[in-house]
């Protein structure tokens, strides 16, 4: 693959010279000149920023929120690769929200690397070309006769060399190149290698500071008391005892909440226990059993909303089918349970505000805070800290709004609002509870001729119209509805895909079993249909999808007799433009109980930017997917969460984590999403292995309730 020539629009180039210590700063806004094609519902990252000082120090800013997905390392790698520097000479800094320098600073949808692939590389390539031009001018030679090596420009014929730091002042005076050459994949020195996370040393030594660690002079800590059940309103409040509690400075009522402010987290948490609040029910408060019954009743009726997708005529196909296969599935509410609970620092002044903490959507949050406080957005500063987990929870801005509101009501003083674990788990947002109904038809030749999906979710619809096997079935219909509820729901890692991956892949296995076909062969057969005779829109590449399926079957030795009492299950899913296939291996023990031993994973995520980061993202996603499918569930009793801490909300334990073997399909395609795609196939691979071992089809989560596991 040859290097790419990319044209730049000078009007979209930002250069600031004469920075402290000399040197120059390079920044780009590619929104109007060379942004990738934007697709509805996807998160687009378009900007970058690099600084080179006269002393040779190179600083690369990471503008996107770091939520544990490794973006603070991966994005600077893209710049450093094209800049042609040694990684050990790079310094990485986290940028704050700055819509003048950066565009779309978001962590979500596995989109940071995917949508920054070209723009960040252009930053490095442009800086490198300007340094070459500066050296060529000083040496009175053609720039075409110069090249770069590890942070210096070299003129091979004369033997002259110059370090970048020696050239930056002249480079800052030059015009921006109209064209830059990007490296071919074969020329990469950093991209595709294993590079340690830039924060690892500080994290493991305890030096790294998270939002929860924020301290400022004159700052008070605050905790928030919320309704104990979803659908309750504050009726009365007696804070007499709380105000007398040691360290408590203020007790404030706002919206439907109560804030307790004091000198330490311990003191405000103790003070909060002394607040006497009376709450009244605002309507009927539903329990988990109510939701389960009501969701299933919705599925007994004809869909009320327009079909998400409708190819052919499923009713006609079912009427003439040789065989009909049906299965129902149910998903529980899930908490996000980030290791670092919700927190944010805010100092609201008369006409400005400073905000500091862990947030996945800083720009959208600033807009919300501006509306809330009546302060212009340009007067609100948001600095992002690295997050102790997000999983979609920190896409929401409720905890930031609380901090800003409390700071203002308390007299414009700095506050750090910190949620307790109980508050975080019982008063936050959940992965919606879902109910699914699947129906498929096959003809006399055992060919799949119809597929109907009908689903309903609490507070959210529960399906994607384009998910596989869409495009591979002549008659294909997807219907999904929302069940209104006071329970707050939000995106949870791999939104929608996190459960539909389980239900679809389990149903595909059930169809294969009913018609006597190998599950892998059945999937490949459908992909051939999508490739050679597609039905409607096909939003995945059948060849790339088939490749990961074949490779996973190969590395796991699918279909071969395994030593011992070992059974396998297969699943494959396409999400966030990435193809992932997984094989789970179970061992049936002497007492008949099942134990998960290993997961094989093959992914096609295009060009791998940081191999170690890519591996850990898939491993983490698989463990997360297995853990939540096996153990996690949040239930409600009359609107009140039953699980409020880790002693009652079951998470996967270290001894329960299986061996994970990861493989990547090597190609020169642009990178795709990787923070979430490893999760959806994990649960169904395990469930399909359970069926192979026991003949039991798992249809509800958590699986541990089946009694099948050791």
């Amino acid at each position: 693959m040859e290097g790419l020539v990319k044209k730049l629009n000078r009007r979209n180039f930002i250069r600031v010279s004469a920075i402290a210590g000399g040197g120059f700063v390079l920044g780009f806004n590619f929104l109007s000149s060379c942004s990738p094609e934007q697709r509805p519902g996807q998160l687009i990252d378009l900007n970058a920023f690099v600084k080179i000082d006269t002393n040779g120090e190179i600083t690369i800013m990471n503008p996107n929120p770091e939520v544990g997905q490794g973006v603070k390392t991966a994005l600077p790698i893209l710049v450093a690769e094209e800049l042609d520097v040694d990684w050990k000479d790079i310094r990485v800094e986290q940028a704050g929200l700055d819509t003048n320098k950066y565009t779309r600073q978001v962590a979500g949808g596995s989109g940071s690397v995917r949508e920054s692939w070209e723009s960040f590389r252009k930053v490095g390539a442009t800086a490198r070309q300007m340094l070459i031009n500066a050296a060529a001018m000083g040496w009175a030679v053609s720039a075409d006769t110069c090249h770069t090596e590890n942070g210096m420009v070299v003129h091979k014929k004369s033997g002259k060399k110059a370090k970048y730091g020696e050239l930056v002042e002249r480079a800052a005076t030059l015009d921006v190149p109209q064209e830059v050459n990007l490296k071919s994949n074969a020329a990469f020195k950093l991209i595709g290698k294993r590079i340690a996370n830039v924060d690892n040393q500080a994290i493991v030594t305890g030096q790294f500071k998270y939002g929860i660690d924020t301290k400022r002079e004159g700052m008070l800590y605050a905790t928030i008391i919320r309704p104990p059940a979803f659908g309750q309103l504050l009726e009365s409040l007696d804070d007499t005892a709380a105000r007398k509690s040691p360290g408590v400075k203020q007790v404030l009522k706002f919206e439907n909440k109560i804030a307790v402010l004091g000198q330490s987290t311990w003191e405000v948490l103790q003070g909060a226990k002394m607040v006497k609040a009376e709450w009244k029910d605002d309507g009927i408060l539903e329990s988990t059993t109510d939701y389960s019954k009501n969701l299933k009743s919705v599925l007994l009726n004809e869909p009320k909303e327009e079909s998400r997708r409708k190819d052919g005529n499923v009713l006609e196909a079912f009427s003439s089918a040789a065989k009909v296969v049906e299965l129902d599935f149910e998903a529980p509410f899930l908490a996000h349970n980030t290791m670092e609970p919700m927190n944010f620092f805010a100092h609201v002044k008369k006409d400005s505000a400073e905000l500091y903490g862990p947030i996945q959507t800083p720009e959208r949050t600033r807009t919300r805070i501006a509306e809330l406080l009546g302060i212009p957005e340009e007067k609100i500063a948001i600095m992002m800290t690295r997050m102790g987990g997000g999983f979609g929870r920190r896409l929401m801005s409720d905890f930031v709004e609380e901090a800003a509101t409390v700071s203002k009501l308390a007299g414009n003083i700095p506050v750090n609002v910190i949620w307790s674990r109980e508050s975080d788990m019982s008063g936050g947002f959940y992965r919606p509870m879902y109910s699914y109904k699947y129906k498929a038809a096959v003809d006399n030749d055992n060919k799949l001729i119809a597929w109907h999906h009908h689903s309903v979710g609490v507070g959210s619809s529960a399906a994607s119209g384009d998910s596989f096997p869409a495009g591979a079935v002549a008659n294909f219909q997807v219907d999904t509805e929302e069940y209104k509820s006071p329970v707050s729901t939000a995106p949870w890692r791999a939104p929608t895909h996190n459960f539909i991956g389980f239900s679809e892949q389990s149903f595909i296995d059930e169809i294969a079993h009913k018609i006597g076909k190998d599950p892998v062969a059945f999937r490949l057969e459908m992909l051939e249909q999508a490739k050679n005779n597609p039905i409607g829109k096909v939003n995945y590449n059948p060849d790339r999808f088939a490749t990961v399926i074949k490779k996973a079957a190969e590395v796991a030795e699918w279909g071969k007799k395994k030593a011992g009492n070992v059974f396998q299950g297969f699943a494959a899913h396409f999400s966030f433009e990435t193809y992932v296939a997984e094989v789970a291996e179970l061992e049936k023990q002497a007492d008949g109980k099942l134990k998960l031993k290993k997961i094989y994973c093959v992914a096609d995520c295009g060009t791998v930017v940081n191999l170690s980061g890519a591996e850990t993202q898939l491993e983490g996603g698989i463990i997360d997917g297995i853990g939540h499918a096996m153990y996690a569930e949040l239930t409600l009793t009359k609107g009140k969460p039953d699980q409020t801490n880790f002693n009652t909300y079951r998470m996967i334990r270290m001894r329960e984590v299986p061996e994970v073997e990861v493989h990547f399909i090597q190609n020169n395609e642009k990178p795709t999403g990787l923070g979430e795609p490893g999760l959806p196939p994990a649960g169904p691979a395990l469930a399909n292995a359970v069926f192979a071992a026991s003949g039991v089809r798992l249809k509800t989560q958590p699986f541990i309730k089946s009694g099948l596991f050791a």
Side-chain angles (χ1 to χ4, degrees), residues 275-582:
V275 173
K276 297 178 181 178
E278 297 292 332
W279 307 86
K280 65 178 181 179
D281 296 347
D282 183 26
I284 299 173
L285 305 187
E286 294 177 293
S287 301
T288 295
T289 52
D290 299 319
Y291 284 116
S292 179
K293 177 183 176 182
N294 294 338
L295 293 183
K296 289 175 182 176
S297 69
V298 171
L299 299 182
L300 293 176
N301 302 314
E302 288 297 313
K304 294 180 180 179
E305 300 178 19
E306 183 179 351
S307 296
R308 191 64 59 89
R309 178 165 177 155
K310 197 170 185 178
D311 298 332
N313 189 322
V314 295
L315 293 178
E316 186 177 289
F318 283 124
S319 67
S320 61
K323 185 179 294 182
V324 174
V325 183
E326 296 184 71
L327 273 183
D328 296 339
F329 297 89
E330 188 172 80
F333 288 114
L334 293 178
H336 289 82
N337 278 338
T338 61
M339 184 61 69
E340 177 193 22
M342 298 305 105
N343 68 88
F344 225 82
F345 168 86
H347 188 188
V348 177
K349 303 173 185 177
K350 183 178 179 181
D351 59 356
S352 65
E354 177 193 3
L355 301 167
Y356 188 80
I359 185 68
Q360 292 179 243
T361 53
E363 185 176 353
R364 188 174 70 191
T365 297
R366 184 179 66 177
T367 298
R368 176 66 189 124
I369 297 299
E371 295 171 350
L372 186 69
L373 300 176
I375 295 175
E377 288 191 33
E378 60 269 21
K379 295 290 186 178
I380 299 173
I382 294 186
M383 181 61 199
M384 296 170 280
T385 60
R386 187 185 183 101
M387 289 168 247
F391 312 113
R393 175 62 181 92
R394 287 184 162 102
L395 291 170
M396 305 296 106
S397 61
D398 57 305
F399 54 98
V400 187
E401 295 169 35
E402 288 180 347
T405 300
V406 171
S407 175
K408 181 178 180 179
L409 292 177
N412 299 110
I413 62 173
V415 300
N416 192 359
V417 171
I418 298 177
W419 293 34
S420 67
R421 174 60 60 194
E422 288 78 9
S423 234
D424 196 70
M425 194 176 294
S426 61
F429 291 77
Y430 305 135
R431 195 280 300 276
M433 185 175 179
Y434 296 130
S435 191
Y436 290 73
K437 187 175 185 63
Y438 285 91
K439 189 175 180 181
V442 294
D443 63 16
N444 289 317
D445 295 323
N446 280 335
K447 180 179 179 181
L448 180 62
I449 59 171
W451 173 290
H452 185 214
H453 164 114
H454 187 192
S455 61
V456 59
V458 176
S460 173
S461 60
S464 167
D466 297 329
S467 186
F468 178 77
V473 185
N475 303 285
F476 187 92
Q477 185 169 325
V478 175
D479 296 299
T480 185
E481 302 176 58
E482 178 182 344
Y483 182 84
K484 300 295 183 182
S485 163
V487 177
S488 51
T489 60
W492 188 94
R493 191 175 189 178
T496 303
H497 297 280
N498 55 56
F499 191 79
I500 206 169
F502 161 62
S503 60
E504 286 180 347
Q505 289 297 301
S506 296
F507 189 49
I508 287 173
D509 252 48
E510 178 72 4
I511 299 169
H513 169 69
K514 293 292 188 184
I515 62 178
K517 290 186 178 180
D518 175 80
V520 171
F522 184 48
R523 288 172 173 83
L524 293 175
E525 177 186 306
M526 287 191 286
L527 286 170
E528 277 295 310
Q529 169 76 16
K531 175 183 177 181
N532 299 322
N533 189 23
I535 310 298
K537 177 184 176 184
V538 178
N539 76 327
Y540 51 86
N541 183 309
D543 285 332
R544 293 179 70 179
F545 210 159
T547 298
V548 297
I549 289 174
K550 292 174 182 177
K551 183 66 175 179
E554 175 191 331
V555 298
E557 297 185 316
W558 177 264
K560 294 184 179 180
K561 181 70 175 178
K562 291 279 184 174
N565 216 1
V566 174
F567 298 85
Q568 292 185 324
F570 193 92
H573 194 72
F574 173 69
S575 63
F576 307 99
E577 300 189 31
T578 293
Y579 306 84
V580 180
E582 295 175 14

Side-chain angles (χ1 to χ4, degrees), residues 240-258:
T240 305
R243 289 180 180 276
K244 295 178 181 179
S245 182
V248 173
K249 297 298 182 183
Q250 296 187 52
V251 179
L252 304 170
K253 177 183 177 299
F254 69 103
E255 299 169 359
N256 197 38
K257 307 171 186 176
I258 305 163

Side-chain angles (χ1 to χ4, degrees), residues 664-677:
F664 293 98
I665 301 298
Q666 301 296 321
N667 57 42
N668 291 334
E669 301 289 342
K670 64 173 288 188
T672 53
L674 205 54
E676 294 159 292

Side-chain angles (χ1 to χ4, degrees), residues 8 239 329 703:
L8 303 176
D239 59 6
F329 297 89
F703 299 159

Side-chain angles (χ1 to χ4, degrees), residues 20-307:
F24 70 177
V25 177
L26 298 174
F28 297 84
N29 185 331
F30 292 104
L31 183 59
S32 61
S33 61
C34 48
S35 65
E37 179 186 355
Q38 297 190 30
R39 290 169 290 279
Q42 293 190 327
L43 306 175
I44 311 298
D45 303 303
L46 298 165
N47 303 342
F49 199 71
V50 60
K51 179 175 72 175
I52 305 175
D53 289 341
T54 51
N55 62 9
E57 184 178 83
I58 300 171
T59 301
I60 299 176
M61 305 301 292
N62 170 50
N64 285 44
E66 174 56 77
V67 69
Q69 81 279 43
V71 70
K72 190 176 176 183
T73 304
L75 294 183
I77 286 174
L78 301 180
V79 178
E81 179 66 74
E82 297 291 346
L83 189 55
D84 204 4
V85 292
D86 194 318
W87 182 251
K88 66 179 176 57
D89 297 329
I90 294 293
R91 181 167 167 254
V92 178
E93 292 183 2
Q94 176 64 52
L97 176 65
D98 191 330
T99 52
N100 292 320
K101 295 175 182 175
Y102 314 112
T103 302
R104 205 65 176 95
Q105 291 176 271
V106 171
S110 297
S112 294
V113 171
R114 182 175 76 233
E115 301 300 348
S116 301
W117 171 242
E118 285 194 0
S119 58
F120 272 61
R121 291 172 64 201
K122 290 173 189 174
V123 170
T126 301
R128 180 170 61 89
Q129 188 60 52
M130 292 181 73
L131 292 163
I132 288 175
N133 294 347
M137 179 181 292
W139 297 332
V141 299
S142 170
D144 293 339
T145 63
C146 301
H147 68 277
T148 56
E149 296 176 1
N150 291 327
M152 65 174 61
V153 179
V154 178
H155 184 245
K156 187 174 182 180
K157 186 173 182 180
S158 65
K160 292 180 179 179
K161 299 180 179 180
K163 294 181 179 179
Y164 286 174
E166 301 168 16
L167 301 168
V168 292
E169 289 187 315
R170 177 179 287 132
T173 68
L174 302 180
D175 289 337
V176 179
Q178 294 300 291
E179 294 183 352
V180 291
N181 291 298
L182 301 184
K183 289 182 179 179
S184 66
N185 287 40
F188 290 156
K189 298 176 182 177
L190 297 175
I191 292 175
K193 304 299 188 294
R194 285 188 172 86
I195 296 178
N197 190 296
V198 295
D199 291 332
N200 276 356
Q201 182 69 22
I203 291 172
V204 299
T205 56
Q207 300 174 58
F208 201 87
K209 302 300 181 185
Y210 293 82
I212 204 168
D213 301 312
T214 304
K215 293 181 175 65
R216 298 289 174 83
E217 185 176 350
M219 183 190 85
L220 293 181
Y221 290 91
T223 191
I224 311 296
I225 302 172
R226 298 170 184 80
F230 290 99
Q232 289 187 323
L233 300 175
L234 181 61
E235 188 170 39
S236 64
L237 163 67
D238 181 355
D239 59 6
T240 305
R243 289 180 180 276
K244 295 178 181 179
S245 182
V248 173
K249 297 298 182 183
Q250 296 187 52
V251 179
L252 304 170
K253 177 183 177 299
F254 69 103
E255 299 169 359
N256 197 38
K257 307 171 186 176
I258 305 163
V260 180
L261 289 79
Q263 296 176 327
S264 72
T265 52
W266 174 256
E267 288 170 330
V268 298
L269 289 172
Q270 296 310 300
K273 293 177 181 178
M274 299 181 183
V275 173
K276 297 178 181 178
E278 297 292 332
W279 307 86
K280 65 178 181 179
D281 296 347
D282 183 26
I284 299 173
L285 305 187
E286 294 177 293
S287 301
T288 295
T289 52
D290 299 319
Y291 284 116
S292 179
K293 177 183 176 182
N294 294 338
L295 293 183
K296 289 175 182 176
S297 69
V298 171
L299 299 182
L300 293 176
N301 302 314
E302 288 297 313
K304 294 180 180 179
E305 300 178 19
E306 183 179 351
S307 296

